[in-house]
Every structure is written in C-alpha cells, then in structure tokens.
Amino acid sequence: MTATVPGSDVSDIAPPRSERDRVIVFDTTMRDGEQSPGASMSLEEKLELAKILEDMRVDVIEAGFPIASNGDFEAVRQVSEIITESIVCGLARAGMADIDRCAEAIKKAKRGRIHTFLSTSPSHRDHILHASQDDILEMITKSVTHARNLCGDVEWSAQDATRTEQDFLRRCVDAAIKAGATTINLPDTVGYTYPSEYADIFRDIIENVDGADRVIFSTHCHNDLGLAVANSLAGVQGGARQVEVAVNGIGERAGNAALEEIVMALKVRGDRLPFHTGVETQHITRASRYVSAITGFPVQFNKAIVGKNAFAHESGIHQDGMLKDRGTYEIMQPDDVGQGASNLVMGKHSGRHAFREKLKALGYELGQNALNEAFQRFKDLADKKKHVFDDDLVALVDDALASGADRIQVKHLRVIAGTEGPQEAFLTVTVEGEEKSAQATGDGPVDAVFNAIHAVMPHDAILRLFQVHAVTEGTDAQAQVSVRLEEDGRIATGQAADTDTLTASAKAYVNALNNLLARKEKNAPQAIASGF
Ligand code: KIV
Ligand code: ZN
C-alpha cells in the first residue's frame, strides 16, 4: 500500500470517532443518472452541474465512466480541473485498462477518487462474468491493488451486493480492504432489498470483517420497488457513512436514491436519525431545476422536496392551520430547500446592479459577458411581460447559459397558425454569423417550425421528446421548452424559454441540434449501455 500517491490524504473524509455521525454525500447524477435512457448531458452541462454540486457542498462528485467513451473521459478530466473542494471520482470496471483510463482522467483533481467495481452475486458470476468465487476474489485483489498504486482514495463496489451470499460478500469486502480500498460500497443494483435486510447486511459486514473500522461503508440504492431512499437510510442506521444519490432521483431504470430526499430526511428527522450531511440545502431547488432542464426529465408536481406542489396547501383546513401556525401542516420551510415563494423581482426600470444582486441570491455568479447578455435578455423580457418573477430569471439565465455558445442561432421567426391550415413558418437562422432562411408548412404550427429548421439545416436526427411547461402562472408566462434529438445512438437535449411558445420551441430545437453537432465533432459519448 502506498502513502505518497496523489489523493492519498483521505483522513479528511474518513471522519474521526467524534464525527461518526457525518454522512458523506456522493452524487452520481452525471454517471448513474446519465445512464437513464435519454438523460445524456453535454460536456458544458456537466461542468455547470459540477459547479452547482460543489456550491451545494456535495462531498464526492462522480463525473463519469472514463473508459466508456471519449466524452465521458473528457467530462471527468475537465470536472477534475475546475472543482477544488469536492472529491472528483471516475468509475472503472475491474480491468487494468479501465482503471488506468480513470486514473488518467482524475489526474488533475485536487482530490481524486477511483471507483472500481465487480459483480459478486451468483447471478452475475454465472451469467455475465462466468467466474468462480475464487476468480472474483483474485480480481478484487488485483484491481484494488492496481487502483491504490495510482490513487490513495479508492472505492470498491460489490455490484449486486444485496443478492450475494452473505459469507461470500464478507470475503469480498475483506479482500478489497486488504488490497487498500478506502471506501466499500454495497449497492442494491437491482432495487431488490428491503430496509431491515439492507441494514443487517451492513451490520454483519462491519462487525465481522477485519479492518472494517478503517474504511467508510457506502449505500447505493436503486428504486425499482420505490424503496431507494428508505433503504439508503436503513443502510446508514446499519453503519454506512456514505450515501450514493442522484439529483431528482434519476438513474438506471427507476432511478437512484434522490439526493434531496435523503439529505432533507436526515436534516428534518435528526431526532430519529442522529446523522448529518454537509449539504447546504438552500441550493437543492436550483440543482433540481437544472438537472430537469438539461435532461428534459420533468419533476413530477408532487415529488417530495422539489415538486411544484411540495409546499402548496390547497385545502381550506390546511390553509387555516397554516395561517395560525406553519408547523400545523409544514415539517420544513420552502426556504430550507431554496424553494422560496415566487417573488416579484423587478421591472424594466431595474438596473444592472440590482439584477446582478438578484442573480447572486438565486445562486448565479456570471462573468461580465454572460451578465451583460442576461441583462439584455431580462430587459427584453420585461418589455414583453409585466411581472418578472424569480422563476422567470432562472429560466432566462439557464436559457442564456445553454445557448450562449451555439453556432446556429434563431434570428427571426414568423408563424401562421389557426384553424385554416396549412400552418406555415418563416425562419431565419445565423450559422456562425451567416444568415440562412427557409419556409415550411406543417401539421400544426410546431410541426411547421420544425420543418423549417429541417429545410434550413438538413439533418437526420429524430425528435424523441418535445415538452412545454409554463414557468409561472398567467397567460403572459414564459414557455420553457425541452427538445431531445437522437442520431446514430447519440442523444442531445436542448432547452429555451420565451413568452412566445413557438419561438421557445424553435430555439430549443436549434439548441439541441447545436449540442448534437458538438457531440459529433468531439466524437462524444453514445449513451452508455445499461447493465451497470
Ligand atoms: O448499481 C450499481 O451497482 C452501480 C455500480 C457500478 C456502483 O451503479
Ligand atoms: Zn447504480
């Protein structure tokens, strides 16, 4: 075991005894979350998300699976360069090439981690790996030793741990600890376990494996039976001190345990669960909205913590109680998770300084150019819309960040809609400054707009998702549109907001097209095949 290799100082994440109740939050939105069909994110989006997670004080950011594609490698490499506080982690299978590629990707990280995994259950041993128990033990020793020679912070995961024979799981964990793993993750890969059972698995391993007191144990729960959060919390009660989570609970199949739910459960129920995280919870809503916007996955209205209705009180009895004492029907405040009431912010006479301060309060620190552009957009919006709310600003800035560097931009759009068909769109775009125009008809105005984009920029991408939602209430609300395109297995999402739904649709489609082109040029990732 080496003590001088990069990232070898893990003492600050392995809490001393007095801090035994601190739970490390490991975010896998960009890795397991991105494995949700259709949830792929561009490099720029991953970099922005990494900054949001770091602002939120997430302890570990799993930024990708470097050997899976050049795009994933680049994401882990560039996240490693910009993140200074959180640990940046990459995933690797047990092979040496995987581990080397991962080590290369995290090389520049101030605090890097290699996360290597191997299946341990009989089902995976027999049907995927065709390996005996002894083969598995040998692979664990080799892979973890190799990883530890490259990085001092190594996490080892027993894929499908919850369907593994318990005595064999103990031997696997023992091998990983002996080889130098600093974190041991016992994933419920297929979302099969039950809370009391998961807690027992941790208790048994922690009590019976030599050296268990020197490592951090981690939960990683999938939500196939809707138990991911309950199982993760049970794992913590069983002795785990790291939880692997994803924003909005996105992830393979039914998803991963939701970051916001676990963090708030630990915060609100400290009486039953005397553990805490370092997460600054007022950033939660912003992270949730950003992940929803870049993936195009809507957050259900009644979703715990981050749903639009999570703090809405409709019934008269509840409203009456709330007026008398908020505690009658509210166990946490919307402000705790950054879901303040939608405030009226400013009108068209508001100045640049007030605008910058407002954005700061909403969690955005923009550079001078981005600020100027956002301010101009705000002025344009304030001309069209009487009341500009916090949610409008969030949509506006996210839109500016998403499309700012786009090579193709929508310049003019005119649409003929109504009961007398055919609906028709006249579109002008600029491609690196050069104007191109086209006109098209369609089966409805949106179809006409998208056909006009096709005419001006011929392409083979297939539209996989078209989604519109109103940012605020009222008929002058901005429409926020998400578009997902797929071409040759590559998926790209685009977003835009505008008070004109058709303009927002055109801009979101063009933004998705830009992201697709950028991916093609960089030979960026095809969606990682499932099976992890
Ligand atoms: O669900 C799982 O087992 C995983 C591992 C790769 C950690 O995602
Ligand atoms: Zn997983």
Side-chain angles (χ1 to χ4, degrees):
M1 197 180 302
T2 54
T4 51
V5 288
S8 60
D9 180 13
V10 292
S11 53
D12 49 347
I13 60 145
R17 290 278 170 239
S18 58
E19 263 213 40
R20 283 178 63 175
D21 56 353
R22 162 110 152 87
V23 176
I24 294 162
V25 175
F26 175 119
D27 179 273
T28 186
T29 311
M30 288 187 243
R31 200 280 296 168
D32 214 328
E34 208 203 24
Q35 284 176 220
S36 319
S40 73
M41 303 165 202
S42 70
L43 175 61
E44 292 69 27
E45 288 161 350
K46 285 185 179 174
L47 294 174
E48 182 60 26
L49 179 57
K51 285 192 235 152
I52 294 173
L53 294 171
E54 185 170 54
D55 283 350
M56 196 154 74
R57 301 271 176 264
V58 159
D59 301 283
V60 187
I61 300 173
E62 188 167 52
F65 189 1
I67 199 135
S69 69
N70 292 339
D72 254 42
F73 176 83
E74 212 34 46
V76 178
R77 193 181 70 77
Q78 294 201 26
V79 169
S80 299
E81 284 187 352
I82 60 162
I83 293 301
T84 54
E85 300 296 325
S86 311
I87 293 171
V88 180
C89 172
L91 185 70
R93 287 169 300 194
M96 303 301 135
D98 272 55
I99 295 170
D100 290 344
R101 190 86 175 131
C102 182
E104 178 66 21
I106 59 158
K107 198 167 66 186
K108 293 266 173 65
K110 202 160 165 223
R111 304 164 76 208
R113 172 180 295 186
I114 296 177
H115 176 190
T116 181
F117 71 97
L118 186 62
S119 288
T120 52
S121 67
S123 153
H124 286 210
R125 287 194 318 257
D126 295 347
H127 302 297
I128 302 176
L129 298 171
H130 306 290
S132 67
Q133 292 191 345
D134 285 345
D135 296 335
I136 298 287
L137 292 170
E138 194 184 322
M139 284 193 261
I140 295 170
T141 303
K142 277 198 181 142
S143 55
V144 176
T145 305
H146 186 62
R148 259 316 290 263
N149 284 330
L150 298 168
C151 180
D153 185 349
V154 172
E155 172 167 337
W156 179 75
S157 288
Q159 186 168 217
D160 207 13
T162 53
R163 295 192 302 165
T164 300
E165 308 88 328
Q166 190 66 14
D167 55 342
F168 180 56
L169 189 61
R170 275 188 226 132
R171 291 169 63 208
C172 292
V173 171
D174 180 63
I177 294 177
K178 285 206 169 79
T182 46
T183 298
I184 300 287
N185 181 29
L186 302 178
D188 184 30
T189 304
V190 292
Y192 174 76
T193 199
Y194 188 77
S196 53
E197 177 185 52
Y198 200 45
D200 286 345
I201 291 175
F202 282 97
R203 274 190 202 107
D204 171 75
I205 298 274
I206 291 170
E207 273 166 27
N208 296 308
V209 176
D210 278 354
D213 56 334
R214 287 187 278 111
V215 299
I216 299 284
F217 281 86
S218 180
T219 68
H220 178 109
C221 296
H222 282 271
N223 207 26
D224 300 66
L225 292 173
L227 291 171
V229 169
N231 285 336
S232 305
L233 294 173
V236 171
Q237 288 183 301
R241 288 295 177 271
Q242 175 177 283
V243 284
E244 301 196 358
V245 291
V247 175
N248 296 340
I250 65 169
E252 192 74 53
R253 304 182 310 280
N256 286 69
L259 177 149
E260 59 280 1
E261 295 179 22
I262 296 200
V263 167
M264 288 313 289
L266 291 175
K267 184 165 173 159
V268 172
R269 292 310 309 269
D271 56 329
R272 290 297 291 193
L273 292 157
F275 310 105
H276 66 275
T277 71
V279 169
E280 293 188 358
T281 59
Q282 70 277 16
H283 295 277
I284 281 178
T285 299
R286 168 148 164 59
S288 161
R289 284 186 184 150
Y290 189 68
V291 168
S292 169
I294 61 179
T295 56
F297 284 16
V299 175
Q300 77 195 53
F301 281 13
N302 60 330
K303 163 87 179 59
I305 317 295
V306 289
K308 207 179 166 78
N309 289 352
F311 296 92
H313 299 271
E314 186 70 27
S315 96
I317 298 173
H318 285 211
Q319 286 176 349
D320 181 54
M322 286 285 291
L323 289 171
K324 291 176 176 140
D325 183 313
R326 294 188 75 93
T328 50
Y329 287 103
E330 204 166 72
I331 58 167
M332 56 197 154
Q333 308 276 304
D335 283 355
D336 295 341
V337 296
Q339 208 188 110
S342 197
N343 299 320
L344 176 59
V345 284
M346 295 173 287
K348 59 179 161 189
H349 301 298
S350 308
R352 192 180 299 264
H353 180 70
F355 179 71
R356 188 176 54 220
E357 289 309 303
K358 187 73 202 175
L359 290 190
K360 241 193 209 167
L362 290 170
Y364 294 93
E365 294 266 11
L366 302 187
Q368 201 51 47
N369 288 345
L371 181 74
N372 289 345
E373 194 192 325
F375 187 63
Q376 189 49 52
R377 285 186 184 225
F378 159 67
K379 286 285 182 186
D380 293 344
L381 181 63
D383 270 340
K384 290 193 228 160
K385 193 172 185 287
K386 206 160 148 213
H387 303 302
V388 178
F389 295 90
D390 284 0
D391 286 350
D392 285 315
L393 285 187
V394 169
L396 177 151
V397 178
D398 284 345
D399 186 12
L401 290 174
S403 66
D406 281 354
R407 284 168 51 200
I408 314 165
Q409 302 265 355
V410 173
K411 186 151 191 232
H412 296 298
L413 176 69
R414 197 161 60 81
V415 183
I416 300 174
T419 49
E420 309 306 315
Q423 286 75 26
E424 198 164 4
F426 303 83
L427 173 75
T428 302
V429 297
T430 55
V431 184
E432 286 168 347
E434 192 191 322
E435 284 192 13
K436 290 187 173 197
S437 298
Q439 169 225 337
T441 55
D443 190 4
V446 175
D447 194 41
V449 170
F450 290 180
N451 287 342
I453 297 173
H454 251 282
V456 82
M457 292 295 302
H459 58 274
D460 295 326
I462 297 166
L463 179 68
R464 291 288 179 213
L465 173 97
F466 169 64
Q467 183 179 282
V468 185
H469 87 264
V471 173
T472 57
E473 277 151 28
T475 48
D476 66 349
Q478 290 192 87
Q480 186 156 47
V481 178
S482 298
V483 164
R484 190 181 306 137
L485 298 176
E486 184 179 346
E487 192 181 326
D488 296 335
R490 285 189 187 83
I491 295 172
T493 304
Q495 48 161 321
D498 200 286
T499 47
D500 181 319
T501 309
L502 295 170
T503 303
S505 304
K507 287 182 171 172
Y509 193 112
V510 168
N511 180 231
L513 208 52
N514 277 291
N515 291 339
L516 202 56
L517 291 175
R519 264 155 212 238
K520 271 197 203 159
E521 277 162 18
K522 284 182 204 152
N523 191 18
Q526 314 215 351
I528 297 169
S530 58
F532 295 110

